[in-house]
């Protein structure tokens, strides 16, 4: 929906994201890619296209020879980002580093062992199935194991959430991740509600 110059995407009638509040999505990208930006040819998976703000921030911090795969379940969201929403984040889908896939990011993870240096997940309001019941499989033990398997040694899994979740932190640690939790503003330095970024680092020794 659109109100004046603001766009909003709803899921089941509830607000999922707004074009006025995207600072924490940018933080997801910059924090999640902090190590990968120094790699020669980083491979990044972005789960959830949204309005393109996370993708734009990823592209701004990565080198020109990076490869960024975006898995978006809803074809309409991809089409909106090519048309009415394209200018909001500076047309990130036009960047030659981007590969867009209209599929469940859970499928992408399970089909990509050892492929990515970074996995960024922003498909729900937190580590729970909000937009689709199938998303529960991203956050349970099998989902976390799949994300770990899709990462290269030393890779980073970063997950956006509207709230803190100690049980989910423990689950990440159970699967061998070194976990940090960042609390960031929706408008970064301009206030807004606080959101949570789970940063999970895979051991460099893992294969």
């Amino acid at each position: 929906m659109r109100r004046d110059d603001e766009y909003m995407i709803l899921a089941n009638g509830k607000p999922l994201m707004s074009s006025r509040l995207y600072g924490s999505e940018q933080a997801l990208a910059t924090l999640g890619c902090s190590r990968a930006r120094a790699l020669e040819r980083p491979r990044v998976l972005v789960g959830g296209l949204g309005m393109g703000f996370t993708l734009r921030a990823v592209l701004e911090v990565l080198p020109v020879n990076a490869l960024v795969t975006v898995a978006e379940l809803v074809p309409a969201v991809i089409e909106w980002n090519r048309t009415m929403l394209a200018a909001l984040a500076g047309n990130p889908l036009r960047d030659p580093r981007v590969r867009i896939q209209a599929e469940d990011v859970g499928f992408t993870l399970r089909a990509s062992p050892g492929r990515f240096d970074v996995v960024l997940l922003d498909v729900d309001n937190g580590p729970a199935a909000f937009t689709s019941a199938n998303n529960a499989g991203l956050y349970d033990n099998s989902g976390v194991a799949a994300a770990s398997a899709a990462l290269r040694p030393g890779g980073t899994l970063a997950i956006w959430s509207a709230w803190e979740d100690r049980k989910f932190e423990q689950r990440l640690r159970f699967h061998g991740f070194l976990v940090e939790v960042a609390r960031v503003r929706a408008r970064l330095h301009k206030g807004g509600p606080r959101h949570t970024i789970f940063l999970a680092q895979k051991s460099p020794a893992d294969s």
Side-chain angles (χ1 to χ4, degrees):
M1 61 178 291
R2 178 181 179 180
R3 181 177 58 194
D4 298 326
D5 61 346
E6 178 184 10
Y7 288 89
M8 184 175 293
I9 293 178
L10 309 179
N12 300 318
K14 298 179 181 179
L16 184 61
M17 64 192 70
S18 165
S19 62
R20 289 187 178 180
L21 298 171
Y22 57 86
S24 57
E25 283 83 356
Q26 292 175 318
L28 173 69
T30 55
L31 292 171
C33 294
S34 62
R35 294 173 181 260
R37 64 194 306 171
L39 299 176
E40 182 178 349
R41 192 172 170 81
R43 297 288 187 271
V44 176
L45 172 63
V46 178
L49 177 58
M51 295 182 177
F53 294 116
T54 298
L55 177 58
R56 168 51 59 196
V58 167
L59 295 171
E60 289 181 356
V61 301
L62 292 184
V64 295
N65 56 351
L67 179 61
V68 182
T69 301
V70 181
E72 171 53 55
L73 180 63
V74 183
V77 172
I78 299 174
E79 180 61 24
W80 296 338
N81 274 269
R82 287 175 171 154
T83 54
M84 68 184 75
L85 301 181
L88 290 178
N91 295 283
L93 290 183
R94 295 182 183 176
D95 193 294
R97 294 171 289 176
V98 175
R99 304 290 185 271
I100 184 76
Q101 299 177 182
E103 65 184 22
D104 189 326
V105 68
F107 174 83
T108 309
L109 289 170
R110 289 171 171 80
S112 309
R115 180 179 174 186
F116 300 109
D117 299 292
V118 180
V119 172
L120 306 177
L121 296 181
D122 184 9
V123 298
D124 286 288
N125 271 1
F130 177 73
T131 58
S132 169
N134 291 335
N135 286 347
L138 289 173
Y139 313 113
D140 61 15
N141 282 311
S142 65
V144 174
S148 178
L151 286 169
R152 293 173 174 173
T156 300
L157 170 65
I159 300 170
W160 186 97
S161 176
W163 56 78
E164 297 182 80
D165 189 325
R166 296 294 179 86
K167 289 185 178 180
F168 184 65
E169 288 180 51
Q170 293 172 356
R171 184 173 300 142
L172 291 170
R173 292 190 175 97
F174 175 79
H175 286 274
F177 285 106
L178 178 64
V179 182
E180 296 181 29
V181 178
R183 295 285 287 166
V184 298
R185 290 285 193 179
R187 294 190 178 97
L188 290 186
H189 303 299
K190 298 180 181 179
R194 289 191 180 276
H195 296 150
T196 297
I197 308 295
F198 298 98
L199 294 167
Q201 195 76 28
K202 184 174 179 177
S203 170
D206 289 345
S207 59

